Amino acid sequence: LYPLINGVDKTGFKVGSLDQLMELMDLFQKYDMQLDASCKRNEKMYTDMCKELNKKVSLVIEVNTGRRGESQNLEVEQYIKTFKWDSVRFQMDKSLKFLGAKIQGTQKGCDDRLKKLLDEQNEVKGKLNALVKKDSASFLQKDLGDVIYEQKIGRQFFVNSHGSELMTTVLVAVNKKKVEHFQQNYLTILLNHYSNDFENWKKRTRDQIQSQAQLAEDKDHQQQIIDQEFKKQEEEYLKMSTQPGVVPASDKYLGVEDPDGNQLWRVTCMKSQVVDFIKVLKKNGYVGQQFAYDSDLYIENQKLLSKYQVDLNNLNIKIMNCCFYS
């Protein structure tokens, strides 16, 4: 079975009949492919993990010395040249079928342990991704809420701190060259959008209502439902389109500016219109986001972030070691 490896007395293996030998050839080819794929994957993963953890790559194989509880590490080339059958773990008085199954089972056990670690790693990565935000000096790339806590801006500037249920805060990154334009237009950009978008809104809304009314069997009744619902939504839209969605004189510069000259501003917006307002801000070249001040939540998230980073590093070390020893 191992014509290129010295130190193994092949006559000691138990085969059985010729038919059993033919069956073993197919079985061992399958084992060989599985073990080869597993070892190559683990070697690559081990190398990648070493680079990520700034560890030295050490491709050695742990070998049983034959003495109870003792082992040594050999370079791969040295291991091949001096290969000796591990008769402690794989007794030659057992059948080849039994030995093959045990070798394959050993590797499967390693693969299962590795899969469990990788599943845990993916779970921690998912938790980290939910907390990690872009870390950038530019307000155009950064979570603007983080700026509030990093710069220790007081809670008194944010409407949720005063118990409002109808209004919310919108943070806006405004380049200092466009501050005057922003102050002159933030109250009217949503009104202008409603006015310019009214015809498109009617078409979108009627199409949506027609799609939802398809279940009505009576065509006359179906048209009646469409007309009634459209009239109701049109009245609501026309009422909303007369409201700026933003509280007058709520614009305030919060005293911080990024290296590119983008300043952090606050405006107070109606919750019912905040989504439309932020979309219109973006169309007009401003980055905005809804914000509710909660320093306790921010501190808790920072603690969780540190914990998950430590957990991920520990898991990466376990994965590296699992790949090494498998």
Side-chain angles (χ1 to χ4, degrees):
L1 289 175
Y2 303 95
L4 300 180
I5 299 178
N6 297 322
V8 179
D9 181 8
K10 297 184 287 294
T11 61
F13 291 111
K14 293 183 178 181
V15 177
S17 67
L18 181 60
D19 288 345
Q20 289 175 325
L21 179 60
M22 296 299 293
E23 180 186 347
L24 284 174
M25 286 179 63
D26 293 336
L27 185 62
F28 273 56
Q29 281 181 348
K30 177 184 175 182
Y31 288 164
D32 184 56
M33 291 175 63
Q34 292 174 346
L35 292 169
D36 183 63
S38 181
C39 289
K40 286 179 178 177
R41 179 205 63 204
N42 290 357
E43 180 183 348
K44 183 180 185 306
M45 196 177 297
Y46 167 74
T47 303
D48 292 343
M49 279 297 171
C50 284
K51 291 178 182 178
E52 186 172 335
L53 295 167
N54 294 319
K55 302 284 186 180
K56 181 181 178 182
V57 176
S58 178
L59 290 177
V60 296
I61 297 176
E62 188 179 45
V63 180
N64 194 320
T65 62
R67 297 178 180 177
R68 185 179 295 274
E70 290 188 10
S71 62
Q72 61 179 337
N73 291 331
L74 297 177
E75 297 287 341
V76 174
E77 183 178 355
Q78 184 67 16
Y79 170 78
I80 294 173
K81 288 180 178 179
T82 62
F83 177 81
K84 292 181 181 179
W85 187 263
D86 188 348
S87 57
V88 175
R89 296 177 65 191
F90 305 100
Q91 299 89 346
M92 292 183 70
D93 59 344
K94 304 294 184 181
S95 69
L96 270 178
K97 187 174 183 179
F98 175 87
L99 292 174
K102 187 172 182 181
I103 293 171
Q104 192 269 346
T106 300
Q107 189 61 46
K108 184 180 183 302
C110 293
D111 289 347
D112 290 345
R113 288 194 296 274
L114 181 59
K115 182 181 182 303
K116 184 175 182 296
L117 289 171
L118 290 173
D119 288 343
E120 292 178 16
Q121 182 196 52
N122 287 331
E123 183 180 352
V124 173
K125 281 184 176 180
K127 292 177 180 178
L128 267 174
N129 289 336
L131 292 174
V132 173
K133 300 166 185 175
K134 284 188 176 179
D135 187 15
S136 171
S138 172
F139 291 169
L140 303 182
Q141 302 295 328
K142 188 179 181 70
D143 186 293
L144 298 177
D146 286 349
V147 180
I148 300 299
Y149 302 114
E150 291 169 1
Q151 298 295 323
K152 295 180 172 57
I153 296 172
R155 63 187 305 122
Q156 69 272 16
F157 297 113
F158 309 105
V159 69
N160 73 293
S161 298
H162 303 285
S164 175
E165 296 293 332
L166 298 176
M167 295 177 286
T168 185
T169 296
V170 174
L171 301 175
V172 189
V174 183
N175 192 276
K176 59 185 178 183
K177 295 179 181 179
K178 298 178 66 177
V179 167
E180 185 177 350
H181 178 271
F182 173 73
Q183 289 183 296
Q184 290 175 350
N185 292 278
Y186 80 94
L187 274 174
T188 58
I189 56 174
L190 192 55
L191 291 172
N192 293 337
H193 167 73
Y194 288 145
S195 176
N196 296 333
D197 189 55
F198 184 51
E199 293 302 321
N200 290 330
W201 177 89
K202 288 194 292 185
K203 183 178 184 307
R204 291 196 308 271
T205 304
R206 186 169 286 277
D207 289 345
Q208 183 181 15
I209 296 171
Q210 285 177 338
S211 177
Q212 294 172 345
Q214 292 297 321
L215 296 177
E217 296 181 2
D218 188 333
K219 295 297 181 183
D220 293 335
H221 182 56
Q222 182 185 94
Q223 190 59 48
Q224 184 181 2
I225 292 173
I226 292 172
D227 292 341
Q228 289 176 349
E229 182 62 26
F230 180 79
K231 183 178 180 181
K232 176 185 175 183
Q233 291 195 28
E234 185 179 34
E235 289 175 354
E236 293 175 354
Y237 183 88
L238 290 173
K239 179 181 178 180
M240 184 175 64
S241 66
T242 62
Q243 302 169 358
V246 186
V247 176
S250 66
D251 59 311
K252 179 172 180 59
Y253 173 47
L254 295 176
V256 288
E257 181 178 310
D258 73 10
D260 300 321
N262 298 304
Q263 299 179 351
L264 185 60
W265 284 69
R266 175 223 67 187
V267 293
T268 302
C269 185
M270 304 305 295
K271 283 185 178 180
S272 60
Q273 294 170 276
V274 66
V275 173
D276 288 341
F277 181 68
I278 291 174
K279 286 181 180 178
V280 174
L281 277 176
K282 185 176 181 180
K283 287 182 179 179
N284 283 267
Y286 300 104
V287 173
Q289 72 177 67
Q290 188 176 0
F291 175 75
Y293 188 91
D294 189 340
S295 59
D296 292 339
L297 179 62
Y298 175 77
I299 293 170
E300 181 62 27
N301 284 342
Q302 292 302 110
K303 290 179 180 178
L304 281 175
L305 183 62
S306 298
K307 177 184 179 300
Y308 293 148
Q309 287 171 338
V310 171
D311 290 346
L312 182 60
N313 186 71
N314 290 337
L315 280 168
N316 287 342
I317 292 173
K318 288 181 181 179
I319 290 170
M320 179 188 72
N321 290 333
C322 186
C323 291
F324 175 83
Y325 288 110
S326 61

